[in-house]
Amino acid sequence: MTQMVAPAIELPNAFRFNSGALLRTAGQWEDRRREIHQLIVPLAYGELPPVPKRTRCVELHSAVVQRLGGARLLSCRVEADGAHVFMLRVFVPDAPGPFPVVLNGDGCWHYASDEVIAAILGRGNVFAQFNRVEIAPDTVGAQAARPHAALAAWAWGYHRAVDALVQLDFVDCGGIAVVGHSRGGKASLLAGATDERITLTSANNSGAGGAGCFRWQAAGAETLADVVGTFPHWFGPRLKQFAGRENELPFDQHYLKALVAPRALLTTEALDDHWANPMGAWQTHLAAREVYAFLGVRDHIAIAYRDGGHDHSLADWCTLLDFCDFVFRGKTRANVLDVNPFPGLPAPTSWYQGATGAALPAR
């Protein structure tokens, strides 16, 4: 592995209140978390659509899938305030429940392979998937016709899918994992950051506006200018003013990760996926991990790297399932997590030292 030589980067301090005061106790985290939400979500993504008064899960069809070990497949329509929003496919193991659920919004690319679904069901989980572009189209031309940016709408879609899933008696409401790949990973990360019903949030190869760091751009990584220039409909309209001025942002993506704390968070990255900025994802992981350590749940945040490029591979899914087993079932935490593949890469400036509740550096 080539050694990197570069100065440490300075990221916005997740422990410093807007007033300048420092976070001192875990009991203050919810107040600081609300501030972080207001710093990053409206500016980067715009406001999410409003929460409906009622979400219905309407079962349309049920079938037994023999090639998946007799699993049951439900085709459901998700309705918000009486309006058809999207279809939700739910695969249920042929075993007694209730089960944790793995929810994915990437049905617009292709539905997960039988191999992936079998792996999820074989671990004793429900698998649910929807097509996020049923909620908001992924086209620049449609941007002016809708009031919300695409990532905000897609995250809202994850929330409405959770509304639907918790109505099903075979779902363990205390074990809900969300996951997405690439732009879907940006959406799943935003969804987990903004809905505390989600127990485990996972983003795969999510890059700029996801797990990647705006201030740390390795060669070949997608920049803020790249992503808002090509996909302006993904983000809130104010974000583009910081293209080329990333150091002036009042946040970086460790803030989005920190919003998930103390709930579980996993990011999976590919070493050859330079566009998705795997080095920057390591930077935001280290910075967000300080929040988790402060809250006494350091093991609830994890990152894993594999060889290869931009893909949601079976290996990525299996890494997620291992982490689900740790979070949902108390099994041993996988030893592939948090292994630094960039030993020469400087860590971001640290704000927290010591055990939970210890005084923070006065900086």
Side-chain angles (χ1 to χ4, degrees):
M1 184 66 66
T2 302
Q3 296 290 307
M4 301 289 299
V5 179
I9 60 171
E10 185 80 34
L11 295 178
N13 189 340
F15 290 85
R16 190 177 296 281
F17 284 97
N18 295 345
S19 67
L22 287 169
L23 185 68
R24 295 292 184 181
T25 68
Q28 296 174 308
W29 170 241
E30 281 306 312
D31 290 336
R32 178 56 181 151
R33 185 176 179 274
R34 281 189 288 272
E35 284 192 346
I36 289 174
H37 183 284
Q38 286 305 311
L39 281 170
I40 187 171
V41 174
L43 196 162
Y45 307 100
E47 296 292 348
L48 272 62
V51 176
K53 293 179 180 178
R54 184 186 182 194
T55 302
R56 295 182 64 217
C57 181
V58 182
E59 183 180 328
L60 301 178
H61 183 257
S62 176
V64 174
V65 186
Q66 295 296 347
R67 68 180 186 276
L68 293 175
R72 185 159 55 111
L73 168 60
L74 300 180
S75 295
C76 302
R77 183 175 64 231
V78 179
E79 298 177 350
D81 289 337
H84 172 207
V85 179
F86 57 87
M87 296 297 297
L88 181 68
R89 289 157 54 96
V90 185
F91 294 84
V92 188
D94 182 22
F99 311 96
V101 59
V102 176
L103 171 63
N104 174 255
D106 293 339
C108 47
W109 291 103
H110 57 78
Y111 285 96
S113 69
D114 282 358
E115 187 177 23
V116 167
I117 297 172
I120 294 169
L121 299 176
R123 299 284 191 102
N125 305 297
V126 165
F127 177 63
Q129 189 171 50
F130 66 98
N131 177 352
R132 63 178 181 271
V133 302
E134 287 188 62
I135 302 161
D138 194 5
T139 56
V140 177
Q143 183 183 20
R146 58 181 182 237
H148 302 282
L151 286 170
W154 298 339
W156 180 90
Y158 274 96
H159 298 168
R160 304 292 69 80
V162 171
D163 288 348
L165 288 166
V166 299
Q167 298 175 35
L168 304 175
D169 57 10
F170 52 78
V171 168
D172 176 2
C173 299
I176 296 175
V178 298
V179 63
H181 168 65
S182 193
R183 65 196 68 181
K186 304 181 206 297
S188 65
L189 185 53
L190 178 60
T194 51
D195 191 333
E196 295 185 51
R197 298 173 300 171
I198 294 169
T199 319
L200 191 164
T201 299
S202 184
N204 185 71
N205 299 175
S206 57
C213 183
F214 285 126
R215 285 169 171 79
W216 178 273
Q217 294 292 327
E222 183 179 36
T223 66
L224 177 55
D226 290 327
V227 73
V228 297
T230 307
F231 305 106
H233 61 291
W234 288 357
F235 298 94
R238 293 190 292 148
L239 184 62
K240 62 185 178 183
Q241 68 183 293
F242 291 95
R245 301 166 47 212
E246 289 81 0
N247 287 332
E248 298 176 34
L249 279 167
F251 61 84
D252 213 307
Q253 292 307 103
H254 63 301
Y255 272 25
L256 191 65
K257 290 183 172 183
L259 286 178
V260 180
R263 293 168 293 123
L265 172 63
L266 169 70
T267 47
T268 45
E269 304 290 340
L271 291 169
D272 295 326
D273 188 8
H274 304 297
W275 189 247
N277 197 8
M279 288 186 182
W282 179 254
Q283 296 280 0
T284 61
H285 170 70
L286 293 181
R289 191 171 67 180
E290 295 202 343
V291 173
Y292 278 80
F294 177 76
L295 297 175
V297 288
R298 188 179 186 277
D299 283 349
H300 282 198
I301 184 171
I303 193 168
Y305 287 84
R306 60 164 171 81
D307 293 329
H310 194 68
D311 183 32
H312 203 172
S313 70
L314 179 62
D316 298 319
W317 285 101
C318 289
T319 297
L320 170 59
L321 293 176
D322 288 344
F323 199 54
C324 286
D325 282 346
F326 165 70
V327 174
F328 298 151
R329 301 179 176 90
K331 294 189 177 181
T332 302
R333 195 174 187 267
N335 60 11
V336 300
L337 302 176
D338 299 347
V339 177
N340 181 6
F342 313 111
L345 185 67
T349 301
S350 177
W351 313 294
Y352 167 66
Q353 297 172 351
T356 302
L360 298 168
R363 304 206 326 254

